[in-house]
Amino acid sequence: MAEETKETKKVISKEKKPKKKKKKRKILVKISIVFLFLVVIGWFTIGMKVMKLRAEAKDLVANTSEQTFKATQTSVVYDTNGKVITKLKGEKDVYYLKYKDLPVYAVAAMISVEDNNFYKHNGVDFRGIARAAVSFVTNKGEVTQGGSTITQQLARTVFLTREISWQRKVKEMFVAWGLEKEYSKDQIMEFYLNNVYFANGYYGIQAASKGYFDKDAKDLTMSEAAFLCAVPNAPNMYEPYHHKEKTMTRRDKILKDMYKQNLITKSQRDEALREKITLKKKKTEQKRNYIETYVIHSATKALMKKQGFEFRYVFDSDEDKQDYDEKYNKSYAECKRTLYSAGYQIHTSIDLDAQKELQSSIDNALSGYTEKDKNKVYKVQGAGVCIDNETGKVAAIVGGRYQKNAGLGLNRAYQSPRQPGSAIKPILVYAPAMERGYGPGSIVNDNPMSPKDKHRVRNSGGSYSGSITLRRALEKSSNVATMRLYEEIGPKSALRYLEKMNFKSLDENDYKYYTTCLGGFTYGTTAEEMASGYAALANQGVFRDPTCIVKIEDSDGETVVSNPSKKRTVYSANTASMMSSVLKSVITNGTGRGAKVPNVDTAGKTGTTTDNKDGWFCGYTPYYTTAVWVGRDDSRVMANLSGSGYPKTIWSNFMNALHKEYSGGKKLNSYEGGGGTNMPSTGQTTAGTTEKGSTKGTTQTTTHATTQATTQATTQATTQATTAATQQQNGDDRRGAGNDD
């Protein structure tokens, strides 16, 4: 029986095998079909794109000549009416060297550090790419070596952009292959060393040698050549004047690599490592006016965005921010460089008439302050930014008082954060409170805070009003009412609104010290940021990135960038409407009295910091939003400074001039041709804003007027002795918390 069973099993086994083979064949056929299907799909989705990129690269190379690598194209900037504002031009064509005149040490240095297989590959080094990939993984995401050849870098520099995409990388490879077929290795090295960027406006090895050492490239020592060749990898990081130690460290690495690759002897290496590097005094930078500096900044950021750079404003740690800053600086430097050589047509929203009016308003208001610093720059300064509410773009920007041949290098309007004082309250505290259910008529507590209150602050001048409406609290710019609202909202929730509007100087301490709600920041805010924040209220709660770029075209007239500004809803339309109503009351009944533009709805807020170091006026009509700052560059006290003083005067003079065509006749408000704003008349009620009967935030109190007066006097007397300690605890002295004007 046992034998029969075995035989039976063998027969059954033989009978089953063909069936299993058939099943396997069917599975293989299905897999093959799916694979072929995927190949076909891949071809149509990627393959055809690759072939198109190959054809484009072929055309690029076919249309080149040696002159292609010598030429530089001027970029032209236009105002909102198509008038030429300025031209941006590089210097590359002045210092072109033939291969025989290139310093041999510079050639060797570049090969050692950038592409040690330069004379072996045909444009693309796949082994180098593999090494870079392995290094990236083994170093936990840190880029320690690149995968691009010198030929690829040349292709990217002359023909392409720095856009982060597989399409650009593939096209770069095809161009590199084409260049290797068209030109010799020596020619490619010649093109490369004459086009590569060495920071500070120097294109090519000769310009860099002249600029940094005041000598011809052929006279460079080995050490100097290696030093210069350290810069192009990251021109901002290895910029010689500001980061010389980093440049020296990379120089040493290059010299050691040259020795390892048998390009120099040990004695040459050691001698070069010992040599000290002495730089020529840095050339005086061209003094560009405030329009030009802002256009360059905005255009550079627009190109960065086009190339895939992700802008960030909040960071997990100091290391995270440092890593971001390095990437930002590298991308910024690369994109800015193209403005001087790519032949762009840069169309902007700058209104030259508005620009002239804003500059004139600042200069005239501050003309009485004539004291200058050692650089002959006025010590008392002002800045302002005006945004067109219809487009959300910057119409005028002034970064300081006008001085011929002095002081125009710094554009304070976007480069200098300052303490905003009470001007921050509407967008940091009151609008967020309205998002939580408060309205203009909600009752808030303006009684003196107890010495036991953890975040105790006082109203400027000791003025307290007990239980008052939210509208009145902002009209008088109450510090205690603001603090109590801020305590309820919480710093993290409140500051999230500024995060959404890309306030770039927020610090972790701003989330700790509660006096942030009164304008006491670690670093502060800029006029550009304040204008864009108020413009969000004017635009029904929708924030738009501030920029002056309308579009950028390449030298062939093709659009490279179009309307780069992003939109995002920060506040609800209802909140924006209520805030506009309250800010109109500030103009008619509060600290902004006297700033009303005739016959045009006007909303705004003053801001003055502790010790009167910074003064602000920020406001808007249905047509324009403007933020104005006044203060000293050295942050010293200005005894007569307040938001209702010079800043309001500048703001009013400018906005009155800007609105002549609107304010000359009948009254115009948001319902009669406004720029997309929603500004109800004072006292007008909207959904959820009824002033009577609104109880959100109501504080019950039995304190009568006489009791309040006694309490006020008593509190003032008992707290004066502890004011300094309290301010230190809350960060007032260090952080410039706002007065209530």
Side-chain angles (χ1 to χ4, degrees), residues 11-21:
V11 173
I12 293 172
S13 177
K14 288 179 181 179
E15 289 178 353
K16 283 184 177 181
K17 281 183 180 179
K19 290 182 179 180
K20 285 185 178 180
K21 287 182 179 179

Side-chain angles (χ1 to χ4, degrees), residues 234-277:
N236 215 53
M237 184 186 303
Y238 299 116
E239 191 278 318
Y241 289 111
H242 294 95
H243 305 291
K244 187 178 178 181
E245 288 186 6
K246 289 184 178 180
T247 319
M248 290 293 289
T249 299
R250 188 165 172 81
R251 179 209 68 167
D252 294 350
K253 178 187 182 304
I254 291 172
L255 290 170
K256 290 172 184 176
D257 286 348
M258 291 170 71
Y259 169 66
K260 287 178 182 177
Q261 295 164 29
N262 297 318
L263 297 173
I264 58 175
T265 65
K266 185 176 183 296
S267 60
Q268 287 178 313
R269 179 201 67 183
D270 294 341
E271 183 181 350
L273 287 172
R274 287 192 298 267
E275 183 178 326
K276 292 183 178 180
I277 297 295

Side-chain angles (χ1 to χ4, degrees), residues 76-79 85-86 88 289-302 332 339 346-350 394 397 411 414 547-549 552:
V76 183
V77 179
Y78 302 91
D79 75 353
I85 296 177
T86 188
L88 308 175
N289 65 37
Y290 300 126
I291 299 176
E292 291 173 338
T293 55
Y294 188 64
V295 168
I296 291 169
H297 173 70
S298 295
T300 300
K301 288 185 67 176
Y332 191 95
L339 295 178
I346 304 171
H347 300 269
T348 77
S349 56
I350 297 296
V394 173
I397 181 167
N411 193 325
Y414 77 92
T547 182
C548 67
I549 302 302
I552 300 176

Side-chain angles (χ1 to χ4, degrees), residues 110-111 113-118 121 123-133 143 145-157 160-162 168-170 172-173 176 180 192 233 330:
M110 280 301 189
I111 289 174
V113 73
E114 296 292 343
D115 186 2
N116 53 37
N117 287 320
F118 176 68
H121 62 66
V124 178
D125 184 2
F126 289 104
R127 289 184 179 180
I129 293 173
R131 283 196 304 272
V143 179
Q145 61 186 86
S148 295
T149 64
I150 282 176
T151 316
Q152 284 177 263
Q153 293 178 46
L154 175 66
R156 183 167 62 241
T157 299
L160 307 172
T161 68
R162 299 275 173 167
R168 195 270 297 161
K169 194 67 179 177
V170 169
E172 175 189 297
M173 290 180 176
E180 292 272 353
Y192 177 74
N233 181 263
K330 183 174 182 178

Side-chain angles (χ1 to χ4, degrees), residues 675-735:
T677 63
N678 188 3
M679 295 173 58
S681 301
T682 304
Q684 177 180 339
T685 59
T686 58
T689 69
T690 306
E691 300 227 359
K692 291 183 179 180
S694 181
T695 59
K696 176 68 175 175
T698 301
T699 301
Q700 298 297 326
T701 178
T702 59
T703 308
H704 297 291
T706 55
T707 308
Q708 287 176 4
T710 304
T711 303
Q712 175 182 322
T714 304
T715 303
Q716 192 169 352
T718 56
T719 58
Q720 281 178 342
T722 59
T723 296
T726 303
Q727 287 181 339
Q728 182 64 33
Q729 176 186 347
N730 291 334
D732 290 358
D733 290 342
R734 182 175 62 83
R735 295 156 59 77

Side-chain angles (χ1 to χ4, degrees), residues 296-453:
I296 291 169
H297 173 70
S298 295
T300 300
K301 288 185 67 176
L303 291 172
M304 290 169 67
K305 180 181 174 183
K306 172 69 176 177
Q307 295 179 13
F309 187 86
E310 293 290 335
F311 292 94
R312 295 174 57 197
Y313 304 92
V314 181
F315 305 94
D316 299 328
S317 63
D318 290 341
E319 292 75 17
D320 183 30
K321 186 178 188 307
Q322 184 177 355
D323 180 60
Y324 171 82
D325 286 344
E326 288 182 1
K327 292 175 181 175
Y328 175 93
N329 291 335
K330 183 174 182 178
S331 179
Y332 191 95
E334 290 171 348
C335 289
K336 181 180 177 181
R337 175 168 56 86
T338 66
L339 295 178
Y340 297 88
S341 59
Y344 291 129
Q345 306 294 303
I346 304 171
H347 300 269
T348 77
S349 56
I350 297 296
D351 183 327
L352 291 178
D353 291 333
Q355 181 74 19
K356 183 179 178 181
E357 288 287 355
L358 184 54
Q359 185 72 69
S360 177
S361 296
I362 290 174
D363 292 340
N364 292 339
L366 303 178
S367 60
Y369 292 95
T370 57
E371 188 181 6
K372 298 178 181 179
D373 62 19
K374 63 181 181 180
N375 296 315
K376 298 182 179 180
V377 177
Y378 287 124
K379 289 187 175 181
V380 173
Q381 286 291 343
V385 173
C386 175
I387 291 176
D388 185 328
N389 289 338
E390 184 174 357
T391 64
K393 298 189 184 301
V394 173
I397 181 167
V398 171
R401 296 166 66 182
Y402 176 75
Q403 289 182 258
K404 189 175 182 180
N405 301 323
L408 299 187
L410 174 66
N411 193 325
R412 297 165 186 81
Y414 77 92
Q415 291 179 318
S416 300
R418 298 294 294 239
Q419 304 299 337
S422 295
I424 200 68
K425 292 175 180 177
I427 57 178
L428 176 62
V429 181
Y430 286 85
M434 289 177 175
E435 290 286 283
R436 290 170 165 249
Y438 281 84
S442 296
I443 303 302
V444 295
N445 187 353
D446 189 41
N447 286 303
M449 299 182 81
S450 165
K452 295 181 181 180
D453 286 330

Side-chain angles (χ1 to χ4, degrees), residues 53 141 462 514 644 664:
L53 292 171
Y514 274 62
S644 56

